[in-house]
């Protein structure tokens, strides 16, 4: 019983020391909120369109200091990068605090509703609108059914995959292996014959 009381007393003492040492520091949530508000403002203020993650926040920032984000010459606030937080005392910068942030844009875009094989003709039933984090680079995600319906897939598309511009293409006017009419015109000469297309062709293409 005495040993149990001793352990409990030690725990209470340690807890009180921990609370007292942390009482003079900013909560990490306060710092994160400050940085998020700054970045969202730079992005146009539409909070629901962006996810802002603070990957590392120091725990020993004195609560008596004034914290402000130090402006940077960045042109894009998307991606993973370093943000510097300035700690000021009576208007004088006394400390720069580096924070790593990750910012992603979120939006409703087209995703595959099923497994789509290569060169399938696409219909509205093949897609659904879903809210996803948008890619930071690469091809543009598609947002409207009009951009895909009636076209065909350029390769196999897994269910749930984000539909980007490189995954769809217009239907060819001539498909590989199709028998077509050939006409050769020259002054005083016109030859007609049947031929087999050796590759797909669109308007204006020259194919074998």
């Amino acid at each position: 019983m005495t040993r149990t009381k001793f352990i409990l007393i030690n725990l209470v003492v340690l807890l009180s020391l921990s609370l007292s040492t942390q009482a003079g520091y900013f909560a990490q949530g306060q710092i994160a909120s400050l940085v998020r508000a700054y970045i969202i403002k730079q992005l146009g203020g539409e909070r629901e369109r962006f996810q802002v993650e603070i990957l590392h926040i120091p725990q020993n920032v004195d609560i008596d200091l004034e914290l402000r984000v130090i402006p940077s010459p960045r042109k894009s606030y998307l991606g993973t990068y370093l943000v510097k937080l300035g700690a000021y005392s009576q208007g004088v910068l006394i400390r720069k605090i580096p924070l790593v942030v990750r910012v992603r844009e979120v939006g409703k875009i087209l995703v595959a509703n099923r497994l789509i094989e290569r060169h399938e003709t696409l219909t509205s039933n093949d897609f659904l609108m879903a809210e996803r984090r948008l890619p930071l680079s690469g091809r543009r995600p598609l947002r409207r059914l009009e951009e895909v319906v009636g076209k065909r897939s350029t390769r196999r598309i897994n269910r749930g995959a984000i539909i980007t511009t490189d995954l769809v293409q217009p239907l060819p006017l001539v498909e590989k292996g199709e028998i077509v009419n050939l006409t050769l015109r020259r002054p005083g000469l016109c030859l007609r014959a049947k031929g087999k297309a050796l590759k797909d062709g669109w308007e204006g293409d020259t194919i074998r």
Side-chain angles (χ1 to χ4, degrees):
M1 186 69 177
T2 305
R3 184 179 178 184
T4 304
K5 286 183 178 178
F6 180 76
I7 292 173
L8 288 173
I9 291 170
N10 281 342
L11 286 173
V12 171
V13 171
L14 288 173
L15 183 59
S16 63
L17 286 174
S18 176
L19 290 173
S20 64
T21 54
Q22 293 298 320
Y25 297 139
F26 274 100
Q28 289 182 304
Q30 288 178 278
I31 298 175
S33 296
L34 174 67
V35 175
R36 285 195 187 98
Y38 175 83
I39 292 174
I40 292 295
K41 182 178 180 181
Q42 303 308 309
L43 289 166
E46 298 179 41
R47 181 179 295 273
E48 65 279 359
R49 277 187 55 202
F50 302 98
Q51 290 181 347
V52 182
E53 301 174 71
I54 315 299
L55 304 184
H56 171 70
I57 305 174
Q59 301 180 11
N60 59 343
V61 182
D62 195 322
I63 200 169
D64 293 328
L65 298 174
E66 179 190 357
L67 300 182
R68 298 198 301 265
V69 176
I70 298 175
S72 75
R74 293 188 64 85
K75 294 182 179 179
S76 171
Y77 283 84
L78 296 176
T80 302
Y81 51 89
L82 197 67
V83 169
K84 290 185 179 179
L85 197 62
Y88 297 82
S89 176
Q90 297 180 350
V92 178
L93 177 64
I94 63 171
R95 180 181 175 189
K96 291 183 179 179
I97 305 165
L99 302 175
V100 179
V101 301
R102 180 187 294 138
V103 185
R104 302 290 296 269
E105 186 177 3
V106 178
K108 287 190 175 182
I109 54 178
L110 291 174
V111 299
N113 196 31
R114 64 176 181 86
L115 175 65
I116 301 172
E117 298 294 343
R118 180 174 181 264
H119 285 179
E120 278 196 57
T121 301
L122 304 171
T123 70
S124 59
N125 294 328
D126 297 330
F127 307 96
L128 55 85
M129 295 295 294
E131 189 168 282
R132 294 288 178 85
R133 291 187 301 183
L134 306 187
L136 294 174
S137 59
R139 303 288 184 172
R140 177 178 64 88
L142 300 179
R143 299 173 183 264
R144 295 180 293 116
L145 283 173
E146 293 80 5
E147 296 180 281
V148 293
V149 172
K151 297 183 179 180
R152 73 175 187 180
S153 54
T154 58
R155 59 176 181 266
R156 190 177 189 183
I157 305 172
N158 291 323
R159 181 177 182 178
I162 294 174
I163 306 303
T164 51
T165 53
D166 60 316
L167 294 181
V168 298
Q169 63 181 182
L171 294 177
L173 295 180
V174 175
E175 294 188 3
K176 181 180 179 180
E178 184 178 345
I179 301 302
V180 295
N181 295 317
L182 305 176
T183 302
L184 174 64
R185 297 182 186 276
R186 292 288 186 271
L189 178 67
C190 180
L191 297 178
R192 292 187 175 90
K194 297 287 186 180
K196 183 167 75 172
L198 299 183
K199 62 181 295 187
D200 294 338
W202 288 262
E203 185 175 358
D205 284 351
T206 299
I207 63 172
R208 294 179 62 202

